[in-house]
Amino acid sequence: MKKELTEIQKKILDYLIDQKVSKGIPPTLAEIAKHFGYKNRATVQQHLQAIEKKGYIKKNPKLSRAIEVTVEEKFFIPRPILGEVAAGNPLTIYPDAIDTVELPTIVRMPKDSFLLRVKGDSLKDAYIFSGDIVIVNPNLEPKNGQIVVAILDDAAVVKRFYKKKNEIELVSENPEYKPIVIEKKYPSFKIVGIVIGVYRSMNKKAV
Amino acid sequence: MKKELTEIQKKILDYLIDQKVSKGIPPTLAEIAKHFGYKNRATVQQHLQAIEKKGYIKKNPKLSRAIEVTVEEKFFIPRPILGEVAAGNPLTIYPDAIDTVELPTIVRMPKDSFLLRVKGDSLKDAYIFSGDIVIVNPNLEPKNGQIVVAILDDAAVVKRFYKKKNEIELVSENPEYKPIVIEKKYPSFKIVGIVIGVYRSMNKKAV
DNA sequence: TAAAATACCATACATTTGTATGGTAAAATT
DNA sequence: AATTTTACCATACAAATGTATGGTATTTTA
């Protein structure tokens, strides 16, 4: 079991991931320092050392921007918000309806987007199938009816998004799955991004 | 119209894209130099300047690794192949079949591949729908069961390919459509290429 | 309560990095 | 034939970058 990160360390790790996803390239120490308001890079340097010591990143010494996030699920594990999980009681959700998504090597896409491989057939009526790769843009506000990627507890789901008065509904197009309803304040919930495209390789068979 | 890149410039641009896709981070000048066996960075520097001048990349000066590839679509515009195919049948006959689309870099594919927008639902059981964009590789021999693009008289079709003794069968997955049977010598028939991938933009509604 | 970890600061320094400048040689263009 | 483009080389240098070292103050842990 890996050691727990401190709050600040988590935030920095978060930033590392964010930058890689949105800019496609890890930040330099200076950039991190600027973002967090540190007056020098040494502070960042020490945080990074601490994070590396705990096994969450790996640094290639001397090389610029060579910060590798080594915890793949990292993208989906507690972010600062999620870290404060579950003061209240978790909602009754339907675990079977939750699709898990593998985050492949983060690829920089034209519009800061990244890729996810879809597993499960809950969106098959939206023409998205198991094995398909969805291109996700994290910088857009979801509109009703759009297909979004969301984090819910420890799982990521790809579903159609509907915002209602006091709750958010994540709907599968496949009638076999029931909608997931989330109260707005539910802590471990986060919209990761909007699916802007789907890609499927014809070489690999859908799983 | 953008200027043509030289062979070496193309290779470097290729490398930039490759690195971005595989490593997730653009290389430094030194890394490029090493990869191509250059003894100093100045050579790379000059190539990059040339490539930037021609509009294929954009550099953020002073920042490390800040090389932005600006022309993903460049790789996906219709290729000469179609022109050859059209020797007998002018390209203008099926203008709707050919279209340029902005594709994410992930869908970067074999040289000479091109894109076609699918119309009609004859392949919907193969998970290809009207409005989808298929990526076609003209340099592969079609194998039985593969989805191919063929030109038949003055129409381009996307169908599953089956080679038989004396004829070729083009099958729709949609049972509403009957297979097209072509005698081998049929003059106005030509396999354009093999569908190696499918892409769908979620922004544009399927036509 | 003492020790360790955390969270910063400042300064210093060797590399890395991007870039500017100047040069040679061959190929392509005019 | 003259000029431009291309494709390298070498050197030089400022800025960016990573890192080492030492320091202070607070919080956490033993």
Side-chain angles (χ1 to χ4, degrees):
Chain A
M1 184 61 184
K2 288 204 174 73
K3 274 192 181 176
E4 280 293 314
L5 294 177
T6 67
E7 279 310 304
I8 294 177
Q9 287 165 2
K10 271 187 204 167
K11 279 182 187 168
I12 291 180
L13 180 59
D14 241 6
Y15 180 69
L16 294 178
I17 296 165
D18 272 354
Q19 286 297 296
K20 202 171 162 189
V21 170
S22 65
K23 306 248 175 167
I25 136 180
T28 62
L29 298 202
E31 286 163 4
I32 302 171
K34 189 181 176 188
H35 178 264
F36 286 95
Y38 296 138
K39 294 193 177 162
N40 60 67
R41 290 159 285 151
T43 301
V44 175
Q45 172 193 354
Q46 283 149 29
H47 281 308
L48 290 185
Q49 281 168 358
I51 297 173
E52 182 171 22
K53 204 171 172 184
K54 291 180 179 174
Y56 291 80
I57 62 171
K58 209 180 159 191
K59 288 196 79 277
N60 195 331
K62 297 289 179 186
L63 273 181
S64 68
R65 300 176 189 272
I67 306 168
E68 191 190 339
V69 178
T70 55
V71 202
E72 327 81 49
E73 343 85 71
K74 212 54 189 167
F75 188 82
F76 295 119
I77 71 163
R79 305 190 145 239
I81 315 155
L82 306 182
E84 300 160 11
V85 173
N89 47 339
L91 295 175
T92 321
I93 43 179
Y94 312 96
D96 293 339
I98 296 172
D99 309 321
T100 55
V101 179
E102 277 173 25
L103 183 70
T105 18
I106 297 168
V107 180
R108 173 146 154 71
M109 314 287 298
K111 293 162 191 166
D112 301 332
S113 305
F114 57 94
L115 308 175
L116 295 176
R117 188 182 298 277
V118 175
K119 287 198 172 183
D121 55 354
S122 76
L123 278 167
K124 76 177 182 190
D125 286 353
Y127 304 152
I128 298 177
F129 304 90
S130 193
D132 285 5
I133 290 167
V134 292
I135 296 114
V136 182
N137 187 329
N139 299 327
L140 295 175
E141 276 297 313
K143 292 174 192 166
N144 275 351
Q146 282 187 324
I147 292 171
V148 300
V149 175
I151 292 178
L152 197 55
D153 294 328
D154 287 338
V157 295
V158 182
K159 293 196 182 295
R160 211 172 273 279
F161 171 94
Y162 291 101
K163 192 178 189 176
K164 306 205 165 175
K165 294 159 222 158
N166 294 316
E167 56 195 33
I168 288 169
E169 215 174 277
L170 298 181
V171 181
S172 297
E173 296 263 327
N174 187 334
E176 290 172 34
Y177 297 92
K178 289 177 185 170
I180 300 175
V181 180
I182 297 115
E183 284 181 25
K184 278 201 173 169
K185 296 172 305 191
Y186 193 67
S188 75
F189 171 75
K190 175 159 188 176
I191 297 284
V192 176
I194 294 171
V195 173
I196 58 169
V198 185
Y199 175 69
R200 183 184 321 126
S201 165
M202 301 305 275
N203 303 325
K204 292 173 191 170
K205 240 186 172 177
V207 183
Chain B
M1 183 63 181
K2 286 200 176 79
K3 275 191 179 176
E4 280 291 315
L5 294 177
T6 67
E7 278 311 304
I8 294 178
Q9 287 164 2
K10 269 186 207 166
K11 280 181 186 168
I12 291 181
L13 181 58
D14 249 0
Y15 180 69
L16 293 178
I17 295 167
D18 272 355
Q19 287 297 297
K20 212 162 94 178
V21 171
S22 64
K23 306 246 175 168
I25 137 179
T28 63
L29 298 202
E31 286 164 3
I32 302 171
K34 190 181 176 187
H35 179 263
F36 286 95
Y38 297 137
K39 294 191 176 163
N40 59 67
R41 289 159 286 153
T43 302
V44 175
Q45 172 192 355
Q46 282 150 31
H47 282 308
L48 290 185
Q49 282 168 357
I51 297 173
E52 182 171 23
K53 204 173 173 183
K54 290 178 180 175
Y56 291 80
I57 62 170
K58 207 180 162 193
K59 289 197 80 277
N60 196 331
K62 299 290 179 185
L63 271 183
S64 67
R65 300 176 191 271
I67 305 167
E68 189 189 342
V69 178
T70 56
V71 279
E72 283 88 1
E73 339 88 68
K74 186 71 187 173
F75 291 83
F76 304 117
I77 59 173
R79 294 282 179 164
I81 308 298
L82 266 192
E84 286 175 24
V85 168
N89 325 38
L91 207 68
T92 46
I93 287 191
Y94 29 90
D96 291 339
I98 301 157
D99 202 356
T100 56
V101 198
E102 256 184 41
L103 265 196
T105 35
I106 187 237
V107 213
R108 204 168 96 69
M109 48 214 174
K111 258 192 179 177
D112 302 330
S113 296
F114 57 92
L115 306 176
L116 294 175
R117 187 184 298 278
V118 175
K119 290 205 170 180
D121 54 356
S122 76
L123 277 168
K124 77 177 182 191
D125 287 351
Y127 304 150
I128 299 177
F129 303 90
S130 192
D132 285 3
I133 289 148
V134 292
I135 297 127
V136 182
N137 186 331
N139 298 327
L140 294 175
E141 275 298 310
K143 292 173 192 166
N144 275 351
Q146 281 188 324
I147 292 172
V148 300
V149 175
I151 288 179
L152 195 56
D153 297 326
D154 52 3
V157 294
V158 182
K159 291 192 184 300
R160 212 172 272 280
F161 172 94
Y162 290 102
K163 193 178 188 175
K164 305 206 167 174
K165 296 156 220 163
N166 294 313
E167 56 195 33
I168 287 170
E169 217 176 274
L170 298 181
V171 181
S172 296
E173 298 263 328
N174 188 335
E176 291 173 32
Y177 295 88
K178 289 177 185 172
I180 299 175
V181 180
I182 298 117
E183 289 181 22
K184 276 202 174 169
K185 298 171 305 188
Y186 195 71
S188 75
F189 170 75
K190 175 152 192 177
I191 298 284
V192 177
I194 295 172
V195 174
I196 58 170
V198 186
Y199 176 71
R200 183 184 325 128
S201 166
M202 303 303 277
N203 303 325
K204 294 171 190 170
K205 246 189 170 178
V207 183

